[in-house]
């Protein structure tokens, strides 16, 4: 079983690493980061670079394709790049599952895969979905057959574990969760705009 | 405010990226990955490489130092490397906070920083702490003044948000949580050995 996770300049690191960290734990599953070119890309925040394992031309066909999101500039660049969209459409057709994390949903939308669907994305990006014929589900993960979308950033971990279950079954997915010691204990209950106080939502709309 | 996150061959990607993703959202905080040399390191699982922003020689002094863990081979290599341990000791002395994620605690231990303390680490690594004069707290995060340790892998996200609170206050930390949409919804309740069924613990002890 092969999993390809797209990376591009401005990708949000945790969007990509959340699914990576769960899926790579499965036996007989190879997970690799794939970029348009075999050269480092800068993550959002510019704190480090990512060296992909493959470029589009050399990446083996993937059973699972994951498209993470990124900062506004990075996503705008990715969803306007025809080579990237073509690679996603091609990968989607051949995949067993194709999934987005965060604003990766907008990239799937630009590839024409979200028409008529109710999907998850980062809460701050929900008003862009209509550009691609989609609506906002408000769910942590939304599933439509082989197409899956997850909410913002950290939701990629939950998505990764759901994919582990689909690929290898419930026991293996639970073992991957335990391997990651994913027993979350956020110090606050402010992880969704419905839970955070309104002044925190205002702060988060301006940045963060 | 400057944050340095150590990376080394075999580092567990999420150990490093969890704190990165929360801390980089704070205003006036620069977060960078630092390695011994200015060359890519391979993450555990080999799905991609990380290009550090600085090497030890060029990294600016950090207010916050974060030491992630890694696979057995990577951690063994890191905690036996005198240059790495010296860099950590030097950084610890000058830092306001020094923190580990997962088996990064063993590296802090080898640097001599855990003597007599009850600390957090990955549940599978707890029996190694006595080698460094430390005991296992079983907590998600353990704090001893400026020294903080977190449990396995995903606990780095919780640690990152706690550091956000210490650095920039409760509101900014909550805004960072909301920016990451960190409203976790694991599909199973198997994230700690006390919660997972015993056959899952057995599976996770053999791998994952």
């Amino acid at each position: 079983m092969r999993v390809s996770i797209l990376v591009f300049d401005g990708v949000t690191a945790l969007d990509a690493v959340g699914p990576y960290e769960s899926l790579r734990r499965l036996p007989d599953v190879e997970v690799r980061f794939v970029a348009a070119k075999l050269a480092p890309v800068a993550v959002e925040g510019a704190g480090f670079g990512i060296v992909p394992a493959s470029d589009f031309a050399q990446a083996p066909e993937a059973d699972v394709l994951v498209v993470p999101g990124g900062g506004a500039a990075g996503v705008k660049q990715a969803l306007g790049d025809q080579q990237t969209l073509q690679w996603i459409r091609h990968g989607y057709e051949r995949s067993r599952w194709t999934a987005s994390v965060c604003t990766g949903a907008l990239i799937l939308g630009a590839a024409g895969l979200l028409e008529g669907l109710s999907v998850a994305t980062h809460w701050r990006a929900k008003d862009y979905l209509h550009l691609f014929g989609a609506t906002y589900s408000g769910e942590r993960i939304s599933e439509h057959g082989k197409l899956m979308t997850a909410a913002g950033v950290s939701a990629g971990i939950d998505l990764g574990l759901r994919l582990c279950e689909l690929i290898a079954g419930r026991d293996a997915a639970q073992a991957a969760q335990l391997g990651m010691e994913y027993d979350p204990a956020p110090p606050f209950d402010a992880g969704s705009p419905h839970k955070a106080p309104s002044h925190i939502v205002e702060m988060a709309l301006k940045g963060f």
Side-chain angles (χ1 to χ4, degrees), chain A residues 46-57:
Chain A
F48 65 100
I50 287 175
V51 185
S54 300
D55 62 14
F56 288 168

Side-chain angles (χ1 to χ4, degrees), chain A residues 26-39:
Chain A
L26 296 180
D28 308 316
V29 173
E30 182 190 270
V31 190
R32 55 173 64 211
F33 281 15
V34 179
K37 289 183 295 188
L38 204 58

Side-chain angles (χ1 to χ4, degrees), chain A residues 18 63 72 139 144 146 153:
Chain A
D63 305 284
E139 296 173 321
H144 298 281
K146 71 191 245 182
V153 192

Side-chain angles (χ1 to χ4, degrees), chain A residues 94-116:
Chain A
R94 283 152 182 76
S95 70
R96 286 180 62 186
W97 294 281
T98 291
S100 64
V101 179
C102 194
T103 50
L106 305 182
I107 305 175
L108 292 190
L113 304 183
L114 301 189
E115 192 73 42

Side-chain angles (χ1 to χ4, degrees), chain A residues 2-69:
Chain A
R2 286 187 170 128
V3 180
S4 288
I5 300 177
L6 176 69
V7 290
F8 50 87
D9 267 320
V11 67
T12 300
L14 186 53
D15 288 19
V17 168
Y20 174 77
E21 199 58 73
S22 44
L23 290 164
R24 75 166 182 86
R25 292 167 193 271
L26 296 180
D28 308 316
V29 173
E30 182 190 270
V31 190
R32 55 173 64 211
F33 281 15
V34 179
K37 289 183 295 188
L38 204 58
V41 299
V43 299
E44 189 185 11
F48 65 100
I50 287 175
V51 185
S54 300
D55 62 14
F56 288 168
Q58 293 182 323
E61 294 211 343
D63 305 284
V64 181
L65 174 63
V66 179
V67 177

Side-chain angles (χ1 to χ4, degrees), chain A residues 9 38 53 56 62 77-78 81-82 87 119 137 188 193 205:
Chain A
D9 267 320
L38 204 58
F56 288 168
Q77 162 76 24
D81 181 63
Q82 289 305 319
W87 184 77
V119 303
S137 68
F188 318 103
L205 280 170

